[in-house]
Amino acid sequence: MKREYLVSMCNDIAAFFAIEGEAAAASVAAHLERFWAPSMREQIIGILKAGGEGLSETARAGVAALAARRAA
């Protein structure tokens, strides 16, 4: 999937959950885990590891939480 599209979708998800404040990152991670295909999750984690260009602060935190869950 195109990088720009994944980043845009992740940012949209993060914007939706932003109202949750500190809990937003966990909600983003849970959403990505539940609804994104494994290949999409791996790609967005790779984007974060490469610097996360284009990801909002909440999206970065959510993807980092997702990566931490997968590493545990």
Side-chain angles (χ1 to χ4, degrees):
M1 187 167 285
K2 284 192 167 195
R3 179 200 177 288
E4 295 82 13
Y5 185 60
L6 282 177
V7 168
S8 176
M9 285 193 314
C10 193
N11 284 337
D12 288 345
I13 293 163
F16 177 81
F17 288 114
I19 195 156
E20 295 182 2
E22 291 183 23
S27 294
V28 170
H31 180 91
L32 298 178
E33 189 68 44
R34 273 187 246 137
F35 299 109
W36 280 29
S39 60
M40 293 168 66
R41 293 192 300 260
E42 290 303 319
Q43 195 173 353
I44 200 71
I45 289 169
I47 290 168
L48 178 67
K49 288 181 178 178
E53 183 180 347
L55 289 172
S56 70
E57 184 178 327
T58 304
R60 283 176 187 261
V63 176
L66 174 67
R69 284 183 186 186
R70 298 176 65 78

